[in-house]
Amino acid sequence: MNASVSKEPLDARDRPARLTVGVVGAGRVGPALAASLKLAGHRPVAVSGVSAASRRRAAELLPDVPLVEPAEVLARAELVLLTVPDDVLPTLVEGLVGTGAVRPGQLLVHTSGRYGTRVLDPALRAGALPLALHPAMTFTGTAVDVQRLAGCSFGVTAPEELRLAAEALVIEMGGEPEWIAEESRPLYHAALALGANHLVTLVAQSMELLAKAGVTAPDRMLGPLLGAALDNALRSGDAALTGPVARGDAGTVAAHIGELREHAPQAVAGYLAMARATADRALAHGLLKAELAEDLLIALADQERRPGDPGPGKTR
């Protein structure tokens, strides 16, 4: 459901007071969000990070903000960003609560796409105010991330009484709040991973294959093509499908797979899976004629049954 948020400046009473901000987990996300909040007038006061890369990011994006232990971050900050990997988050929350680090009235914000606010229930029982604010953006860990937050959608889950505060924080970071129900968070996150994470894999594979084919600048060749394909897909959905699978060119698809078996056998399984998914969608939306689809699907099935293919992650 789209958030009905006015584009007009927030009324002062709807904005959170200027807050001291702490970051637990100086990965690629936390320092960028804290730097964005700083631009909105909040004051980063503490950050925790373990690896050398984390400490370097914190120093670059949050200069002069002291690096301390997680419990000390909570002791210093009114708004705490928990920006750690999904699998670490539940244990982190329980540990912070168990050591008495969480204070009543403290805003505790996690940025996990997978979880809503239920993962923060131990902190809620300790009196904290829980928010789930997930930026639908890929991060580099550099200052460019702060700029990319402008217009970025955030998947937001929050108790009813904290909706205004959640909206205000997202808008102050330059983002657009999109309300996600607690029970829909895993599906929401799966959708983003399917579109963004797998896209990187597909593009990287495509560039490698173009390089093997002798293309000197695969990125320059793919840029306009992929930009147009993405724009068409966002505008038109399945109607934007093109290429040999959507046309039902079974011979061309078979030739592709033959080349992949010879030059990049690790890419065969992915090509087959995406070709079948594309064929199914093209057929369902009337783009692929039934008589052509039959030959194409038979060809794909024959290729999938072909013996001697390497398993996932293996090469001949």
Side-chain angles (χ1 to χ4, degrees):
M1 181 175 67
N2 290 325
S4 56
V5 180
S6 170
K7 302 299 181 185
E8 297 300 319
L10 291 171
D11 187 278
R13 63 193 168 183
D14 293 337
R15 298 180 60 164
R18 302 303 88 188
L19 301 168
T20 53
V21 178
V23 179
V24 176
R28 296 183 180 184
V29 179
L33 296 188
S36 183
L37 288 169
K38 181 179 180 180
L39 292 176
H42 300 285
R43 185 165 61 93
V45 293
V47 58
S48 71
V50 177
S51 69
S54 294
R55 292 172 178 268
R56 185 175 63 251
R57 279 190 291 266
E60 291 174 357
L61 291 172
L62 301 172
D64 302 322
V65 175
L67 279 159
V68 298
E69 294 299 314
E72 183 63 21
V73 173
L74 271 71
R76 299 186 184 193
E78 297 161 311
L79 165 62
V80 180
L81 302 174
L82 303 179
T83 52
V84 297
D86 291 357
D87 289 350
V88 175
L89 182 60
T91 303
L92 173 66
V93 173
E94 291 174 359
L96 292 172
V97 171
T99 58
V102 177
R103 304 195 312 273
Q106 192 168 44
L107 278 166
L108 217 55
V109 178
H110 79 69
T111 58
S112 166
R114 171 185 171 187
Y115 292 110
T117 56
R118 197 168 297 149
V119 71
L120 298 175
D121 277 353
L124 175 64
R125 290 191 289 271
L129 307 176
L131 299 176
L133 308 179
H134 174 253
M137 178 55 63
T138 181
F139 287 79
T140 64
T142 65
V144 71
D145 296 332
V146 180
Q147 302 169 16
R148 285 180 173 174
L149 288 173
C152 167
S153 291
F154 278 66
V156 179
T157 305
E160 185 65 32
E161 62 273 18
L162 294 177
R163 284 175 69 102
L164 283 178
E167 287 179 350
L169 288 171
V170 169
I171 292 170
E172 285 185 331
M173 287 186 282
E176 296 279 350
E178 185 79 25
W179 290 94
I180 309 295
E182 178 81 29
E183 62 274 12
S184 297
R185 294 288 292 206
L187 179 60
Y188 151 80
H189 195 225
L192 294 180
L194 184 66
N197 303 153
H198 296 172
L199 176 63
V200 174
T201 301
L202 291 172
V203 173
Q205 284 185 335
S206 183
M207 288 200 296
E208 288 175 357
L209 292 171
L210 286 172
K212 287 185 177 182
V215 175
T216 56
D219 54 341
R220 189 166 65 239
M221 177 175 282
L222 283 175
L225 173 64
L226 297 184
L230 177 60
D231 184 64
N232 291 342
L234 292 175
R235 291 174 183 271
S236 305
D238 288 295
L241 283 171
T242 62
V245 173
R247 291 192 300 267
D249 290 341
T252 298
V253 171
H256 287 175
I257 297 169
E259 288 298 303
L260 292 177
R261 289 190 194 281
E262 181 177 353
H263 297 288
Q266 71 279 3
V268 171
Y271 184 98
L272 287 168
M274 291 305 299
R276 178 171 287 282
T278 301
D280 289 344
R281 296 189 74 87
L283 183 60
H285 289 81
L287 303 173
L288 176 59
K289 295 179 181 179
E291 59 272 21
L292 295 177
E294 183 177 1
D295 290 341
L296 177 65
L297 293 174
I298 289 173
L300 289 173
D302 288 343
Q303 294 289 349
E304 288 171 343
R305 288 194 296 266
R306 180 168 171 167
D309 288 331
K314 300 178 182 179
T315 59
R316 288 193 177 109

